[in-house]
Amino acid sequence: MAANPAKYEKLALVCSQTDRADKAARELRESQDFVPLSQADAVIVLGGDGTMLDCLHDMLDGGQILPVFGLNLGTVGFLMNRYHGAIALGRRLAEAKAMPILPLRMNVTTQSGERHTFCAINEVSLLRETRQTAKVEISVNGRVRIPELAGDGILLSTPVGSTAYNLSANGPILPLDSNMLALTPISPFRPRRWRGAILPDRSRVTFRVNEPAKRPVAAVADSKEVRDVAEVHIEVAREMEMVLLFDPHQALDERIVAEQFMT
């Protein structure tokens, strides 16, 4: 759907710490007034996907979630739009396609009993901490599906993250509107024939670490890491829906489809 231009009159600017992004920020400030994030209707992000994810996480942590229009001044820029200078920024925002995304919520209990909660826009992954293979029990909606997965780890990915780490681990690419999650093993040793699962995004997934003293495991929600975990519960945080803004015909849903035909 097209964005309502009246909603995006007050813009905040977030910029990565690179020379390219700093130069672009100066160009935009010469033609556009920006306000603090607390007063904004939307956010312009200058940088790459890492800067975009940092901005989204800052909003999740701060409790103020605004639509975000990213301009790529990084490397890949999968979550970004092309940077064309300050020309027609207002028009681009008025014509932008709004894409809602839902983050995951990870609730972790460590071996010592500490509890942590983090959100992930791309994926939650469990990774072995040492040379020892990780052994993880996998449950979905309270039912044990795999009593013991042995390997480097396991991840649960959103559609947004399905073209990132999930794809590198040979997981499936998920259309943005699929309402699905990808459960993907990382270098699995046992069971040999299991290559993962596609789950409805209303699923609640639980990982329990087997033999934790011998085989310690870390849990990572995007870039937030908790070590020596005992149990991890993951579900979609529907009340934290976020909106990314894209130029027409260059939106995230089309990019995810196109990624399936890359050779």
Side-chain angles (χ1 to χ4, degrees):
M1 63 180 178
N4 180 355
K7 291 167 57 179
Y8 307 129
E9 292 179 351
K10 298 179 180 179
L11 303 177
L13 184 65
V14 173
C15 179
S16 67
Q17 296 180 351
T18 66
D19 291 341
R20 289 181 64 205
D22 185 61
K23 179 181 178 182
R26 291 196 300 270
E27 292 176 353
L28 291 180
R29 288 191 176 103
E30 289 176 356
S31 61
Q32 172 75 47
D33 292 328
F34 292 97
V35 300
L37 193 65
S38 60
Q39 302 173 18
D41 301 317
V43 184
I44 305 298
V45 174
L46 302 179
D49 289 335
T51 306
M52 172 64 81
L53 288 173
D54 287 344
C55 175
L56 295 176
H57 276 289
D58 287 345
M59 288 195 294
L60 286 172
D61 294 342
Q64 183 185 15
I65 299 176
L66 300 172
V68 182
F69 187 78
L71 294 171
N72 186 28
L73 290 153
T75 305
V76 178
F78 194 77
L79 301 175
M80 317 296 281
N81 299 279
R82 293 176 181 174
Y83 180 68
H84 299 310
I87 300 174
L89 179 60
R91 179 179 57 78
R92 293 176 73 181
L93 284 170
E95 297 176 354
K97 184 176 182 179
M99 302 299 303
I101 61 172
L102 292 171
L104 299 172
R105 180 188 295 108
M106 173 182 80
N107 292 308
V108 180
T109 303
T110 68
Q111 296 297 325
S112 63
E114 294 179 357
R115 297 180 183 273
H116 303 273
T117 299
F118 294 112
C119 286
I121 293 157
N122 279 349
E123 76 280 318
V124 170
S125 55
L126 263 67
L127 304 166
R128 63 186 175 101
E129 293 181 14
T130 69
R131 61 181 179 82
Q132 294 283 357
T133 299
K135 291 187 175 181
V136 181
E137 177 192 275
I138 302 170
S139 300
V140 180
N141 297 327
R143 179 177 177 181
V144 176
R145 291 293 184 177
I146 296 183
E148 188 167 272
L149 170 74
D152 282 355
I154 180 86
L155 66 83
L156 185 68
S157 171
T158 67
V160 171
S162 67
T163 59
Y165 190 11
N166 172 72
L167 182 60
S168 298
N170 296 315
I173 294 176
L174 301 176
L176 197 61
D177 59 355
S178 65
N179 298 319
M180 295 291 178
L181 302 172
L183 182 64
T184 302
I186 304 169
S187 301
F189 180 66
R190 290 284 192 277
R192 285 193 182 277
R193 298 183 185 276
W194 190 64
R195 292 294 178 264
I198 298 175
L199 304 175
D201 69 0
R202 294 192 177 276
S203 301
R204 180 176 171 84
V205 177
T206 299
F207 301 134
R208 292 185 177 89
V209 178
N210 298 339
E211 301 180 38
K214 181 180 179 181
R215 306 171 186 276
V217 172
V220 184
D222 288 345
S223 61
K224 303 288 182 65
E225 181 182 64
V226 180
R227 297 180 72 82
D228 299 330
V229 304
E231 189 168 295
V232 180
H233 299 277
I234 312 166
E235 60 187 343
V236 170
R238 298 187 180 279
E239 75 283 5
M240 293 183 174
E241 180 179 277
M242 313 191 84
V243 174
L244 299 184
L245 303 174
F246 291 93
D247 290 323
H249 311 301
Q250 294 292 325
L252 186 59
D253 54 348
E254 168 57 27
R255 296 182 190 186
I256 289 176
V257 171
E259 191 74 18
Q260 299 177 78
F261 297 92
M262 298 294 289
T263 58

